[in-house]
Amino acid sequence: MRDAVTAVLVHGEEVFVIKRQDYLRAFPGYYAFPGGKVDEEDAGYRYSHPHIAGFKPERIRALIRELDEELGFDLEQAIVQDQVEQVALMGIAVTPPFERVRFHAHYYKIVLKSKPVFRPHSDEIAWSDWLHRDAFLERYESGQGMMVVPIMRTARAFAEDMATRTIEPFNLDYDEQRELAYLEMIRGLGYIPTPSNTLPPAEYTYALIVGDGGAPRYLVDPAPESDAVLQLMFNTLERYPVDGILITHHHRDHHERAPEIAQQLGLPLLCSRKTEQHLLRCNGADYLQGVEVIHVQEGTHLTQWLGRDVHCYELPGHDDGMIGLAPVDMSWFFVADLVQPMATVVIPEPEGNMQDYFNTLQRIIDLQPRAIVSSHGIPIGGTHLLEKTLQHRQEREAQIRTLIDEGDDLDQIVQKLYRGIPSKLIPLAEQNVRQHLRKLGYAI
């Protein structure tokens, strides 16, 4: 686990906040503070000034370097010139175990005597400004902005007392032995990373909880991989009770053990009519026995989120019965398996359709939601991932067309386009190629 540093720059009642670019790999579109990883080059420095002498010098060096790279601000010079009132370690954010890359991020509160002129680095920073402590918290509480837990806790602590030096608890707070993690990177939209029997490189299906203000609360796509994880889910739902379950589509990693949850808790199960048909076809006619099934479709009013109506959307392409969700103001769009941050989505046979997939991607891009919420990763800002996915599929299709015109068959196309992939993933690659060929009008 690597070290990282974060600079919480404060002046009076204001804090300097950035918004990360939507195309970044880590926390795209999130409200954050400047900072980054501690590198090997940060070793070998010494600092004697009383403001920073008590901290590990490699972390202070990383803090100085990151502020210079991201904002064009010389923290070391500011300290020497008596422009800094104090530096305090507010807390150490430990990346939770369900994240693939983990850090110890040290958050340093730096109280400035005056506001410097910053020159934000636009490659990483989409927006930045000084925000009053109340306005900072309002960005999260109103659902306008995404924040990781330590940033959100900092916003809430400052709203209560700007003089706060340390924050407890600072990290995501839950009992790993008894329950699953529950977090809200978007206010009012609960995320439960659940170990599931999904396709690699994913390991979790991020079950969603949506609904507030007296409206029904729904658990979306619970799919515990084992009875042990199922029990953790039950324990989690004791703290975060729901009124029903929504299944977005029939693939195993979106519904496994969901009927058992519905039965034991006496909850209705919502899904599209096609999804119910697929579930019974694939899992047996008695799979939903004893469960009240309610059908949803395009335009179904599901619940509310921060006072905004949330509706269902039909998202064919990956699965012909797949349902997504979005509030009326498009603050976010839950796209289920339409895209994945870490991998290419498979367009399976027979329920997938490549033309529908292209159309659905473009439809959501045109709606311009502020954030995309998927089933196998954290929420991300804007529509960049959708656009990147559509572009990749268009480029792949052009490659396939060229190879077909050159006389290659299916096996040769897969060998050339998917060189080096694990053998167990080759059948999935073959499906995607066949789906492209169908879209192009070739006989399969």
Side-chain angles (χ1 to χ4, degrees):
M1 191 179 298
R2 295 186 59 180
D3 267 3
V5 293
T6 300
V8 185
L9 300 163
V10 170
H11 174 69
E13 297 289 291
E14 295 181 315
V15 58
F16 188 76
V17 182
I18 67 172
K19 186 179 180 184
R20 295 170 58 80
Q21 293 282 12
D22 288 345
Y23 53 73
L24 296 176
R25 291 176 61 88
F27 304 110
Y30 280 63
Y31 284 88
F33 303 125
K37 298 185 289 292
V38 178
D39 295 332
E40 291 182 3
E41 66 187 72
D42 297 319
Y45 289 81
R46 294 290 181 271
Y47 300 99
S48 59
H49 194 285
H51 280 342
I52 53 179
F55 304 117
K56 279 197 172 185
E58 60 267 30
R59 294 175 188 152
I60 296 301
R61 174 57 190 169
L63 200 64
I64 292 169
R65 177 178 52 76
E66 290 289 344
L67 284 171
D68 180 52
E69 292 174 356
E70 293 189 22
L71 300 180
F73 173 59
D74 191 334
L75 174 62
E76 186 174 11
Q77 184 182 56
I79 291 173
V80 171
Q81 295 179 350
D82 196 31
Q83 297 169 5
V84 176
E85 184 175 316
Q86 67 171 230
V87 179
L89 180 62
M90 299 189 69
I92 302 174
V94 181
T95 310
F98 50 81
E99 294 290 351
R100 298 176 66 85
V101 181
R102 303 187 68 192
F103 290 94
H104 282 112
H106 297 71
Y107 280 63
Y108 294 92
K109 181 183 181 183
I110 303 169
V111 181
L112 301 172
K113 295 182 178 180
S114 61
K115 290 183 184 179
V117 176
F118 294 138
R119 299 185 301 277
H121 195 294
S122 61
D123 285 352
E124 293 190 10
I125 299 173
W127 168 93
S128 64
D129 204 355
W130 289 93
L131 291 180
H132 186 274
R133 58 179 182 163
D134 293 335
F136 178 32
L137 179 60
E138 178 64 15
R139 294 291 173 108
Y140 176 74
E141 295 292 350
S142 66
Q144 295 179 56
M146 299 180 292
M147 297 183 187
V148 296
V149 171
I151 302 291
M152 175 271 291
R153 293 201 190 283
T154 301
R156 287 180 172 171
F158 281 171
E160 292 183 6
D161 183 3
M162 202 67 189
T164 297
R165 289 173 58 94
T166 59
I167 298 172
E168 290 291 343
F170 197 54
N171 293 290
L172 186 63
D173 187 22
Y174 73 105
D175 183 353
E176 294 181 39
Q177 303 303 314
R178 187 181 182 277
E179 59 190 347
L180 298 169
Y182 172 93
L183 61 160
E184 294 184 6
M185 294 178 171
I186 298 174
R187 182 72 172 100
L189 200 64
Y191 240 33
I192 304 176
T194 308
S196 64
N197 290 304
T198 189
L199 292 174
E203 299 175 358
Y204 300 84
T205 298
Y206 284 53
L208 201 69
I209 292 184
V210 59
D212 56 24
R217 284 168 55 86
Y218 290 99
L219 174 65
V220 184
D221 286 356
E225 68 178 2
S226 65
D227 289 343
V229 177
L230 175 63
Q231 186 57 55
L232 295 177
M233 176 64 79
F234 279 128
N235 294 341
T236 306
L237 294 177
E238 289 178 5
R239 291 183 60 184
Y240 306 99
V242 296
D243 303 299
I245 296 174
L246 172 68
I247 302 301
T248 61
H249 62 295
H250 83 283
H251 295 156
R252 178 185 182 187
D253 57 334
H254 292 261
H255 67 83
E256 189 171 18
R257 295 181 172 82
E260 187 172 344
I261 298 173
Q263 290 171 358
Q264 186 158 327
L265 299 182
L267 302 174
L269 190 149
L270 285 66
C271 64
S272 69
R273 190 177 299 275
K274 284 185 178 179
T275 291
E276 181 187 23
Q277 294 169 355
H278 288 319
L279 288 172
L280 299 180
R281 173 178 56 83
C282 296
N283 301 280
D286 61 347
Y287 186 63
L288 300 176
Q289 187 172 345
V291 176
E292 178 189 4
V293 177
I294 300 174
H295 294 142
V296 295
Q297 60 187 3
E298 178 79 19
T300 297
H301 175 265
L302 184 72
T303 185
Q304 288 194 325
W305 167 79
L306 301 184
R308 293 98 144 174
D309 289 342
V310 175
H311 294 103
C312 295
Y313 289 78
E314 294 177 0
L315 306 179
H318 173 66
D319 182 282
D320 58 5
M322 194 162 76
I323 292 291
L325 306 171
V328 292
D329 65 352
M330 288 291 148
S331 290
W332 50 266
F333 203 120
F334 176 64
V335 299
D337 266 4
L338 191 69
V339 291
Q340 288 193 32
M342 298 181 296
T344 299
V345 171
V346 177
I347 309 304
E349 299 164 320
E351 66 270 17
N353 181 286
M354 191 63 74
Q355 184 62 65
D356 288 345
Y357 187 64
F358 276 46
N359 293 343
T360 299
L361 284 170
Q362 189 60 59
R363 179 192 183 195
I364 301 177
I365 291 170
D366 292 343
L367 290 171
Q368 285 295 295
R370 288 207 299 269
I372 294 297
V373 183
S374 68
S375 292
H376 298 288
I378 64 171
I380 57 178
T383 58
H384 174 74
L385 180 58
L386 299 177
E387 294 162 5
K388 181 180 176 182
T389 299
L390 181 55
Q391 180 182 4
H392 169 72
R393 290 261 62 94
Q394 290 168 338
E395 292 172 352
R396 182 68 84 203
E397 188 164 287
Q399 292 172 326
I400 292 170
R401 185 194 297 270
T402 297
L403 293 174
I404 281 289
D405 290 345
E406 292 174 354
D408 286 353
D409 60 19
L410 177 65
D411 290 340
Q412 291 170 321
I413 292 173
V414 171
Q415 288 174 12
K416 290 179 179 180
L417 297 184
Y418 296 89
R419 192 175 291 114
I421 69 169
S423 58
K424 64 181 180 181
L425 298 182
I426 289 178
L428 303 180
E430 291 174 342
Q431 286 188 75
N432 270 2
V433 172
R434 284 195 295 266
Q435 295 283 32
H436 274 297
L437 291 173
R438 291 187 180 95
K439 178 177 177 294
L440 290 169
Y442 291 98
I444 304 299

